[in-house]
Amino acid sequence: MSPERIRALLEKVGSGELSAEEAMEALRDLPFADLGYASVDHHRNLRQGFPEAVYAEGKTAEQIAGIACEIAAKGSPLLVTRLDVSRLKPLRSLLPEGKYDALSRTFRLEAKESPRPRTRGYVAVVCAGTSDLPVAEEAAITLELAGHPVERIRDVGVAGIHRLLARREVLARASAIVAVAGMEGTLPTVVAGLVASPVIAVPTSVGYGASLGGLAALLSMLTSCAPNVAVVNIDDGYGAGVFAATINRA
Amino acid sequence: MSPERIRALLEKVGSGELSAEEAMEALRDLPFADLGYASVDHHRNLRQGFPEAVYAEGKTAEQIAGIACEIAAKGSPLLVTRLDVSRLKPLRSLLPEGKYDALSRTFRLEAKESPRPRTRGYVAVVCAGTSDLPVAEEAAITLELAGHPVERIRDVGVAGIHRLLARREVLARASAIVAVAGMEGTLPTVVAGLVASPVIAVPTSVGYGASLGGLAALLSMLTSCAPNVAVVNIDDGYGAGVFAATINRA
Amino acid sequence: MSPERIRALLEKVGSGELSAEEAMEALRDLPFADLGYASVDHHRNLRQGFPEAVYAEGKTAEQIAGIACEIAAKGSPLLVTRLDVSRLKPLRSLLPEGKYDALSRTFRLEAKESPRPRTRGYVAVVCAGTSDLPVAEEAAITLELAGHPVERIRDVGVAGIHRLLARREVLARASAIVAVAGMEGTLPTVVAGLVASPVIAVPTSVGYGASLGGLAALLSMLTSCAPNVAVVNIDDGYGAGVFAATINRA
Amino acid sequence: MSPERIRALLEKVGSGELSAEEAMEALRDLPFADLGYASVDHHRNLRQGFPEAVYAEGKTAEQIAGIACEIAAKGSPLLVTRLDVSRLKPLRSLLPEGKYDALSRTFRLEAKESPRPRTRGYVAVVCAGTSDLPVAEEAAITLELAGHPVERIRDVGVAGIHRLLARREVLARASAIVAVAGMEGTLPTVVAGLVASPVIAVPTSVGYGASLGGLAALLSMLTSCAPNVAVVNIDDGYGAGVFAATINRA
Amino acid sequence: MSPERIRALLEKVGSGELSAEEAMEALRDLPFADLGYASVDHHRNLRQGFPEAVYAEGKTAEQIAGIACEIAAKGSPLLVTRLDVSRLKPLRSLLPEGKYDALSRTFRLEAKESPRPRTRGYVAVVCAGTSDLPVAEEAAITLELAGHPVERIRDVGVAGIHRLLARREVLARASAIVAVAGMEGTLPTVVAGLVASPVIAVPTSVGYGASLGGLAALLSMLTSCAPNVAVVNIDDGYGAGVFAATINRA
Amino acid sequence: MSPERIRALLEKVGSGELSAEEAMEALRDLPFADLGYASVDHHRNLRQGFPEAVYAEGKTAEQIAGIACEIAAKGSPLLVTRLDVSRLKPLRSLLPEGKYDALSRTFRLEAKESPRPRTRGYVAVVCAGTSDLPVAEEAAITLELAGHPVERIRDVGVAGIHRLLARREVLARASAIVAVAGMEGTLPTVVAGLVASPVIAVPTSVGYGASLGGLAALLSMLTSCAPNVAVVNIDDGYGAGVFAATINRA
Amino acid sequence: MSPERIRALLEKVGSGELSAEEAMEALRDLPFADLGYASVDHHRNLRQGFPEAVYAEGKTAEQIAGIACEIAAKGSPLLVTRLDVSRLKPLRSLLPEGKYDALSRTFRLEAKESPRPRTRGYVAVVCAGTSDLPVAEEAAITLELAGHPVERIRDVGVAGIHRLLARREVLARASAIVAVAGMEGTLPTVVAGLVASPVIAVPTSVGYGASLGGLAALLSMLTSCAPNVAVVNIDDGYGAGVFAATINRA
Amino acid sequence: MSPERIRALLEKVGSGELSAEEAMEALRDLPFADLGYASVDHHRNLRQGFPEAVYAEGKTAEQIAGIACEIAAKGSPLLVTRLDVSRLKPLRSLLPEGKYDALSRTFRLEAKESPRPRTRGYVAVVCAGTSDLPVAEEAAITLELAGHPVERIRDVGVAGIHRLLARREVLARASAIVAVAGMEGTLPTVVAGLVASPVIAVPTSVGYGASLGGLAALLSMLTSCAPNVAVVNIDDGYGAGVFAATINRA
């Protein structure tokens, strides 16, 4: 039941067309979700400018292109994640102004006139090994598409701690840090010990044997003794980016 | 916002005390959940006669008694589950008309004037070993408290299949079957192969070693090749009873 | 030993052709399973009209076609599940009147003159994401092939709860609900809180990382705090459909 | 090596007391960590007013009291977590001005003159069942001790969604939300779908059987389809509180 | 329906008291399982002399005594397993001729006149550490109570291989070997490489950390590269004993 | 050091060519393993006629052919397991008298003059679904190649128990039973309840979702309440065949 | 068969009392393990001075005292691990010169005249939290009892990296490092990045929730990207100590 | 900040060009990591001659060649691991003097003038099955490239213990042993019982079913009752080689 229909109802009561009792009856069956829908949409508006994401895995090139065009038509910024170059073609034809990034396997399209959000500062995206780069880059691109400044810190690991320490100042000034690691699962804990800001840990499925597809890193991060660490799903660069953006909004 | 307040609002619109626009404003802020609450309550009414359950594990004897009295005061039938006799005393003093069953560790109190639901027939509650009896009995008592006839079939196992086959007719005529098993995790599958009705499988944590606290039975039941089997949580006799009751309601 | 053979035996005793002792001997060797077979078949008759399913995974196109033809020859409705289009050809040639559905990867053939079962109402099949659709559709097609009305509710998720709430009435009137979800593993719980009928939860293997191939959703559903939920195996749309049908039969 | 010692060294070089070469020698042995220590301490200062926590599990009453007194002596706010009342006595004697909270099993002591941090708003701490309350309260007390306003939202669950929806406004206005749940592991996802702010999910070990000591809830939260959710360790109310505080600092 | 009742029925048909049709009716309702029961009992007879076991865990002293007396009354040999001395008293009073063994925590009662089975030879029961002894002894006592000769080989381990090799001849002449091990999970594989007879491996829950309650030993035994090894449940000395007895019967 | 060399040494002592002390010295360095080798070989001889197996997975067609020829050259019966037809060619050229079985993916070559072992009777190999057939057939072929009579019992399942009961007599007379099952993981337990002989359970990796690649069946079999069941590795038809052969040898 | 008996045999051959053939017969039955035993003992001698350990868990105070006295009687150094003070009494009475350490729960007795081994240098034993101290101390005491110098480095963690860096020189000069950690599972990796010597990582069962009893730390250590790390069982301070000693022996 | 820059700074203070205060300022901003970097580099020098490894999995042929050339340009010995022959070409063109080993899938390039390290002796690399050879060879080649003598011991297994015992002397004289095993997971334990030196156990992912991709072997090795065993990640031949080298350096 749209606000319009409620107003019409109330006007009929005001004009005497409907008794209070009859209006009560009409309202009794009013599916409360309709109101809910409106109110949630209100929140959607507050999120304006945030990219909608299409998870490409398990979809055909045509399905991806179809869904992406619907989103683009609404004027929202668009992000397609986990997109192999082999399924890129239809998307590129339909949305030629979009950009594909082979490292992170993402396709993005900025909203035409989306206003930049007010931000607290920048988000640092840090990763250890080169094999963690795709996930880190997915997080960084998500943040940039949402209008947040990003500092990328790469190739800093725990086994060679000095390179990480050398970037300590950049880390310390970030309003949030996304720390991505597979075989160096302890990276977020070490980073968190150097700063006072929230660290979002992203385990990656990089590794073999006892890595268990990222579970070893995940468990290591969850049991981190640094309390300013929280964790997202394995390989979930997009989720980490969105989470960091909610923190960095002024 | 209670129905009463909405009616008062509408009456003010009817009497001209409030313009439609003003009422609209008042309704806009109306937390839609209040209406939702009402509507869910409506469903609650449809469920009338169904026992509310208190899960006693991890609560003190006093807490249990307190919560139980609140429910009893509403006139609902009451079921306390996982109640060790050591924490029974305060409950028994406050609700002396309730009945404690040591086998299933349940305390129950029938609603004073709850009408029996119309049922399709009876529910068979079957279990293999004597150590599965407490969970089976929790299911049976849940069903009986909700007004459903129950046929108990005990001590029929897969390793001695003849005892199970001997009860085939009782199983076949049930409108639903609750099959409880720990070390005989295959019981629900065998039962399901003998009947055409839905079988609700309850794994129990009985067993040792590779039983993994009931996980072996749980997995065995989930991968059952009989399609008329669905599974509830380990040791969840109450859940199985409620689920069977939703099926057996005419 | 068929009933006919037993009757013949008894008639010989009646006519004096056989002594009681000799008949006793003949009966002693009577494999009891023969009787059992008959009696189970009797139940099969009660299930009349129910589709027999062929699980195509791990079988060659030729094997599938062979088994399917045997079933079709008996006049039973037929359902082939998990059938990639690449293995469809021989089946299509032999049973040209069958229908293939690419989304659910099922092939079905209605029984020529199977009478519709008497049903209590309709079954609602609800799913959250588009990637859960194949499993949901397998459940829906299973139900329809068995003669049950189905209401499909798609694209309602927990993270955007309003769309689900908007379909509340359709859910509440169903005699049973099949709720399919992978990454939105909590959907069945939320649905179960809105209705009084039994909810059959189907976890899907959709997802990555900590989804563990559907285990995360499975565990989440099993530990649901709503007691009117029971669970089937991961991706088992067919099983959920059969289970719902056993409930919806009048 | 403190800044004072380095300055003294440099002054000696300036005065000719020490040659550059000799100073070089002295510096060569300078443990670089000393500088590091200083710089980390600088961050510690920024965190000023934040409680230091003592994890009481596995320590004797005397050990706990000893460590707590050291912290209190420094003037820091103090938080002892997981403290059974049975080990409280020595602590209470030594720090009589501290407060023990039986629900969350915490002991706290506010810093005498710790200035309130500037905050962005309040943190909402929401939980589903009464058995999740101890962990939720540990998070809330951690936040309050660090000077952050807290809104407690209790007894709102997914299986009875209306109570949660009724508190939607309070949730939406929070600058961060801590969502605590065991058997209602989907609560954080539903909450995250209603708001635009970051949701810190805390799985609890409440539950039985397939709950696997909180792992079911943990996995469910990690695979949540709402991207504004991040997760901390099972039962880690303290960690969730600290993490939320890092977000809520202005 | 006992054979006697079937014969009576047939005699009535022979005497004309009952028509074939009426007898048919009577037989139609004959639960086929009754025949099955008889036939299974026949097998039971073949197993004559085999001990019936009562698993004492989770039963009260009174329940154990009750069940044990029923078995003893039938004249079968009796074995109570996992019986702590604290629950022994009622059993000892009622069955004073029984023997309690504290190491294996078993209580046994030989059948009064059970004939020794014909055996192929002896069974070797081998274990590595002293902490595996209780499980090994449960197996040995099960075998002896069933009338099988047993050779006990203790304190032979893989880390000190020479002690095992020294007993090679005794192992090689056994008709079956029960190999019990927790932390020396590889013992059955090494033993199996020395002999040509079947080796029944029993993992024990002895150990800590990565032993995972016996799972490490279980997995190690299952993946043994020696093909003459089969495995029973963790700590299941009774099962291993029964299995070995089925092999050693001549 | 071969027996021949030891005898030569002793003869030299007897003839006075070598003093006892010198012989002692020569023996002191005798690597004890040489004796051990001999003694193990002795056992090998006892096993005479038993097939040597080549596990083809992870080997090239050429490697397989090479190893197989070495075995064949020794005159032993040969069994190649897990051999895809794509890697068969070189083997077939070199050993044209061998037989390939596509169902079990085995290649076998009988020993030219291997005497049949004396056996106790036959081994029954039973399986439930058609997808378990390859593993069951690997067991059956292993047994036959080793000279043991085999009774194959196929397509008997727990969900349709009557077909299994119909074959009860064949099962009961077997001296050992190999029971192969994936989704019907309970089959070995049911079979074991019908017979007095040892049942070797083989879980298969057939199934999906909660089957966990055969772990569900494995756990179900290990926790079977029938004590005459022991288990081998998932899909290990060869191991089950060898184990059964060690039992069936007279 | 002892060397003495072999010599006697050879002498009889030399004296003609025994023919070569008869001696051959006698030797044929010679269990080769006897020789093996001797040779292994030889290695035992090389290990001279190394403590024999008694794992006290699951043994009674009397059993522990008995085994310990046997070892002490041989003059070997003795180490009893996992010994609660409650079971200490009999041991203390019988071996009053032994020392009990409450922190590591060890009892030790130095060998009376065991010569110090020649060592390469010292072993550093490093741990992060105070709750890891008992395991670290078990390792240190094991080393000291075996005659190896130990440097203890405590309370250095990854979350506060500077304290670890401050001890870098002591770490770098050690010939081996034992790194003990539970919640700071990444400690060994960070340490390994600072040094060129082998690091033996010991996960501890300290922690809760996703620590999974030490498995999180174990997996984190195994997947460490620093190649100079190897891992022992959870809480196995004794094993780590012995392993480090084998490295530090000159 | 290099030592040169610090010295320059100090010299300016000595010459009066800079006041102590100004030098203090310059030093204050000195990123302590620079010092750290230097000190770590110092350790790098100590490790001189040690191969740098490129893990090829998940990298393109071009990326691998690029990284490899950078390392080669520095004059370090180079090791590329997990390199399929299909990605070898660019590497071979650019570094034609390197050697590819198909068994271990490694590419190596010796440093032009790297001095041999002083070693304690040789490292024994032992493996059981031929399928474990690739991992064993990766360890052996790593050691040889680092200048350590290696003794390869192949095809010695636990199920045929005599072949292992025959090599006992070679094992006993090694200064460290790398023991590689998949299905014979117990090999390192048996080896460790024969020697006094440290044994580095490498589980391999060889096997099927309950091998769980190497986890069964891993757990078996970790719970080994021989204390001179430590474990590295599944299939990590390189790590085992490096670890052994750190021990074997004199």
Side-chain angles (χ1 to χ4, degrees), chain B residues 4 11 20 93 132 143 154 170 191 212 233:
Chain B
E4 286 66 36
E11 283 168 353
S93 318
D132 299 323
L143 278 157
R154 290 171 173 180
V170 181
V191 166
L212 301 177
N233 196 4

Side-chain angles (χ1 to χ4, degrees), chain C residues 158-159 184 186 190 193 211 223 225, chain D residues 158-159 183-184 186 190 193 211 223 225:
Chain C
V158 170
E184 300 242 23
T186 190
V190 178
S211 294
T223 56
C225 43
Chain D
V158 171
M183 301 189 81
E184 300 240 22
T186 190
V190 177
S211 294
T223 57
C225 43

Side-chain angles (χ1 to χ4, degrees), chain B residues 158-159 184 186 190 193 211 223 225, chain F residues 158-159 183-184 186 190 193 211 223 225:
Chain B
V158 170
E184 300 241 22
T186 190
V190 177
S211 295
T223 56
C225 43
Chain F
V158 170
M183 302 189 80
E184 300 241 23
T186 191
V190 177
S211 294
T223 57
C225 43

Side-chain angles (χ1 to χ4, degrees), chain G residues 174-192:
Chain G
S175 51
I177 297 169
V178 173
V180 180
M183 302 190 81
E184 300 241 23
T186 191
L187 180 70
T189 306
V190 178
V191 166

Side-chain angles (χ1 to χ4, degrees), chain F residues 48-49 74-77 110-116:
Chain F
Q48 205 50 282
K74 289 191 284 182
S76 302
E110 298 194 22
K112 266 161 212 149
E113 46 203 282
S114 82
R116 296 244 127 196

Side-chain angles (χ1 to χ4, degrees), chain E:
Chain E
M1 187 174 271
S2 66
E4 286 67 34
R5 285 185 55 201
I6 299 180
R7 178 169 308 149
L9 195 86
L10 291 170
E11 283 168 354
K12 283 188 187 159
V13 176
S15 69
E17 250 178 285
L18 223 61
S19 73
E21 208 51 46
E22 284 163 339
M24 191 69 199
E25 257 340 274
L27 277 171
R28 190 187 304 277
D29 293 335
L30 164 132
F32 70 84
D34 280 2
L35 282 175
Y37 186 82
S39 97
V40 171
D41 264 3
H42 181 59
H43 288 295
R44 279 266 156 85
N45 288 340
L46 292 177
R47 284 194 282 209
Q48 206 49 284
F50 210 85
E52 271 196 65
V54 181
Y55 180 73
E57 214 130 85
K59 301 204 174 73
T60 65
E62 286 70 30
Q63 288 175 320
I64 296 162
I67 302 173
C69 284
E70 274 182 53
I71 293 172
K74 289 191 284 183
S76 302
L78 161 76
L79 184 67
V80 184
T81 62
R82 312 269 173 113
L83 181 65
D84 287 312
V85 78
S86 64
R87 282 175 297 156
L88 177 61
K89 214 175 164 186
L91 194 59
R92 199 165 246 169
S93 317
L94 288 167
L95 300 171
E97 67 280 29
K99 284 179 205 142
Y100 182 71
D101 176 63
L103 177 59
S104 61
R105 297 192 298 148
T106 55
F107 179 92
R108 68 185 184 275
L109 184 68
E110 298 193 22
K112 266 159 214 150
E113 47 204 283
S114 84
R116 294 246 127 194
R118 285 183 33 234
T119 58
R120 301 174 111 185
Y122 63 85
V123 175
V125 176
V126 55
C127 77
T130 51
S131 29
D132 299 324
L133 268 178
V135 175
E137 201 54 29
E138 185 182 299
I141 284 175
T142 298
L143 279 157
E144 290 176 339
L145 191 55
H148 293 264
V150 171
E151 279 292 326
R152 285 164 174 85
I153 302 179
R154 291 170 172 180
D155 201 19
V156 294
V158 171
I161 197 83
H162 60 283
R163 277 182 297 199
L164 178 62
L165 295 176
R167 307 301 303 274
R168 199 172 39 82
E169 289 307 313
V170 181
L171 289 166
R173 280 196 295 259
S175 50
I177 297 169
V178 173
V180 180
M183 301 190 81
E184 300 240 23
T186 191
L187 179 71
T189 305
V190 178
V191 166
L194 297 175
V195 304
S197 42
V199 175
I200 301 136
V202 194
T204 68
S205 56
V206 166
Y208 58 91
S211 294
L212 300 177
L215 276 180
L218 173 62
L219 293 173
S220 170
M221 291 167 179
L222 281 167
T223 57
S224 160
C225 44
N228 50 334
V229 173
V231 188
V232 298
N233 196 4
I234 296 163
D235 290 336
D236 190 7
Y238 169 71
V242 170
F243 195 87
T246 65
I247 297 175
N248 194 45
R249 261 198 309 256

Side-chain angles (χ1 to χ4, degrees), chain D residues 14 18 28 35 46 53 65 67 78 92 95 114 173-175 178 182 208 219 227:
Chain D
L18 223 61
R28 193 188 302 278
L35 282 175
L46 293 178
I67 302 173
L78 162 76
R92 197 164 249 167
L95 299 171
S114 83
R173 280 196 295 262
S175 50
V178 173
Y208 58 90
L219 294 174

